[in-house]
Amino acid sequence: MATRNKEMEEEIYDKVVDLTEYAKRQRWWNRLFGKNSGPLAEKYSVATQIAIGGVSGWCAGYLFQKVGKVAATAVGGGLLLLQIANNSGYIQVDWKRVEKDVNKAKKQLKKTTNQAGPELNTFVEKSTVFVKKNIVVTSGFIGGFLLGLAS
């Protein structure tokens, strides 16, 4: 009985390994993710990679949610206090000057973004290569990130 169970386990394992090899050789996989796609950490199983990506994604999403709430509260509260102080007469805001400075900042930002194009393209290319090589970890990370945002 024990040998029969062992043989069944080996047969199932062989089928799973054959299936992963089959998927790696398929053209659609190569077309979608590139010929060099495949996890960089091939020494880990798919379940382990998904778990690592999911846990790190959840942590990042949870922190992003908490920091985002604090930042939104601080900015919104600051603007609210500024408006209350302006209406109460504690401070005088020169709104024309504020508008002029905002427009100046927009122009400066536009110039800076046009000059930073090559570095941004390089970053996007490197990120794309990383995602293609680590598709399993990346998908786990994205799922975990969304769960972290929701929790």
Side-chain angles (χ1 to χ4, degrees), residues 6-150:
K6 183 118 173 123
E7 288 173 3
M8 278 181 53
E9 287 177 8
E10 287 179 11
E11 185 179 325
I12 291 171
Y13 178 76
D14 289 341
K15 286 182 181 178
V16 170
V17 170
D18 290 343
L19 184 62
T20 56
E21 290 301 318
Y22 174 77
K24 284 183 181 178
R25 286 179 286 173
Q26 290 305 307
R27 288 186 184 171
W28 67 269
W29 182 267
N30 290 337
R31 263 198 316 254
L32 187 61
F33 299 115
K35 290 187 178 184
N36 292 331
S37 67
L40 243 117
E42 284 185 356
K43 59 185 173 183
Y44 298 112
S45 69
V46 173
T48 304
Q49 292 179 49
I50 290 175
I52 290 171
V55 169
S56 60
W58 184 85
C59 291
Y62 187 77
L63 287 174
F64 188 80
Q65 175 201 34
K66 294 300 178 187
V67 170
K69 280 184 181 179
V70 170
T73 303
V75 170
L79 290 174
L80 181 67
L81 289 175
L82 180 67
Q83 192 63 32
I84 290 171
N86 184 36
N87 286 338
S88 299
Y90 287 109
I91 60 172
Q92 289 291 334
V93 178
D94 186 1
W95 290 108
K96 289 184 181 187
R97 184 172 176 193
V98 169
E99 184 179 354
K100 185 179 102 179
D101 288 344
V102 167
N103 288 335
K104 186 178 175 183
K106 280 184 190 177
K107 289 177 185 175
Q108 182 74 22
L109 188 60
K110 227 177 215 181
K111 283 182 187 178
T112 307
T113 52
N114 289 339
Q115 293 171 354
E119 291 117 17
L120 184 61
N121 288 339
T122 305
F123 176 74
V124 169
E125 289 170 7
K126 287 181 180 179
S127 300
T128 304
V129 168
F130 177 80
V131 167
K132 284 181 180 180
K133 287 190 179 225
N134 297 294
I135 192 71
V136 176
V137 175
T138 305
S139 59
F141 182 85
I142 290 171
F145 185 82
L146 293 175
L147 286 173
L149 282 178

